[in-house]
């Protein structure tokens, strides 16, 4: 492809709403599945989980000024089989490091597609006092046990819960931070 055409296409992509872009697809997923794969580690739910969250692919609040985060990835078995329709329920603190324990700000669930892929738009959460920056998530293959864990960001090992196996791949792009993660679950 000529560089001019490529630039035009990239320009067109930039004009699309963020929701329609798949910018994280070329980020490598971490960790990898395969013969030596370990299941994604479980971690504490913490004190702020709220059940019955709304189903939605974007948690961005109207008028939110915080930097956007697009988290995408896959849910697979240790043998790399995609987990179609896996449930992913996310929650994290807002731009001030606070959780909404009354409503559903920065809380929501979605389902992976037939290839086990998911995509969530949200904000880059602030740091909750005393913790590494994190996103809580529950992942459930259909009919299986729920995996409750937390995702972390590169170079942010500021507490004892941060684990390299739970760190997303991340790249900062003009419109958003793009993050990718592969959940490996018993399915
Ligand atoms: Fe938390």
């Amino acid at each position: 492809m000529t560089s001019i055409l490529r630039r035009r296409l990239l320009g067109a992509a930039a004009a699309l709403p963020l929701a329609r872009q798949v910018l994280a697809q070329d980020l490598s997923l971490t960790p990898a599945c395969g013969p030596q794969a370990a299941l994604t580690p479980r971690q504490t739910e913490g004190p702020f989980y709220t059940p019955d969250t709304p189903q939605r692919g974007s948690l961005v609040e109207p008028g939110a000024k915080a930097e956007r985060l697009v988290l995408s990835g896959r849910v697979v078995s240790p043998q790399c089989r995609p987990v179609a329709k896996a449930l992913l329920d996310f929650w994290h603190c807002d731009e001030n490091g606070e959780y909404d324990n009354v409503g559903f700000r920065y809380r929501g669930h979605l389902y992976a597609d037939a290839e086990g892929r998911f995509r969530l738009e949200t904000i880059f959460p602030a740091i909750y006092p005393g913790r590494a920056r994190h996103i809580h998530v529950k992942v459930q293959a259909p009919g299986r046990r729920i995996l409750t864990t937390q995702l972390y960001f590169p170079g942010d090992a500021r507490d004892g819960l941060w684990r390299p196996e739970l760190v997303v791949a991340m790249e900062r792009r003009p419109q958003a931070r793009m993050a990718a993660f592969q959940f490996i679950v018993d399915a």
Side-chain angles (χ1 to χ4, degrees):
M1 191 184 293
T2 68
S3 61
I4 291 173
L5 179 54
R6 191 174 158 73
R7 263 206 303 278
R8 274 194 197 143
L9 288 174
L10 288 172
L16 285 174
L18 202 53
R20 292 178 54 201
Q21 297 180 40
V22 282
L23 295 175
Q25 273 188 350
D26 53 347
L27 278 184
S28 61
L29 296 166
T30 175
C33 53
Q36 308 297 323
L39 296 174
T40 301
R42 295 175 181 279
Q43 286 211 314
T44 175
E45 175 178 292
F48 300 129
Y49 178 62
T50 301
D52 302 321
T53 59
Q55 181 179 344
R56 50 187 176 177
S58 174
L59 305 183
V60 178
E61 290 286 318
K65 301 262 192 305
E67 188 176 11
R68 301 295 196 264
L69 175 74
V70 179
L71 171 65
S72 61
R74 295 183 82 197
V75 183
V76 296
S77 73
Q79 297 77 33
C80 302
R81 264 197 333 272
V83 181
K85 297 186 178 141
L87 168 69
L88 298 109
D89 194 3
F90 296 96
W91 71 106
H92 63 77
C93 66
D94 66 13
E95 52 272 74
N96 299 314
E98 289 166 2
Y99 285 88
D100 177 5
N101 291 311
V102 177
F104 293 100
R105 287 178 68 243
Y106 301 110
R107 299 175 186 274
H109 72 273
L110 51 79
Y111 293 91
D113 68 11
E115 302 300 316
R117 294 188 176 278
F118 67 89
R119 187 173 191 282
L120 177 76
E121 285 185 38
T122 188
I123 60 163
F124 192 47
I127 293 173
Y128 184 77
R131 289 295 325 274
R133 198 187 304 267
H134 62 281
I135 290 178
H136 295 269
V137 59
K138 289 177 181 282
V139 184
Q140 186 178 30
R144 298 299 190 117
R145 191 177 161 207
I146 296 170
L147 162 73
T148 300
T149 193
Q150 302 183 35
L151 298 182
Y152 298 99
F153 296 94
D156 189 44
R158 72 181 86 204
D159 69 16
L161 284 171
W162 188 96
R163 288 180 65 166
E165 308 95 293
L166 293 171
V167 173
V168 300
M170 191 164 70
E171 199 173 291
R172 205 168 180 172
R173 301 201 184 163
Q175 305 99 323
R177 287 178 190 258
M178 309 304 292
F181 191 80
Q182 177 156 273
F183 293 95
I184 302 177
V185 300
D186 216 352

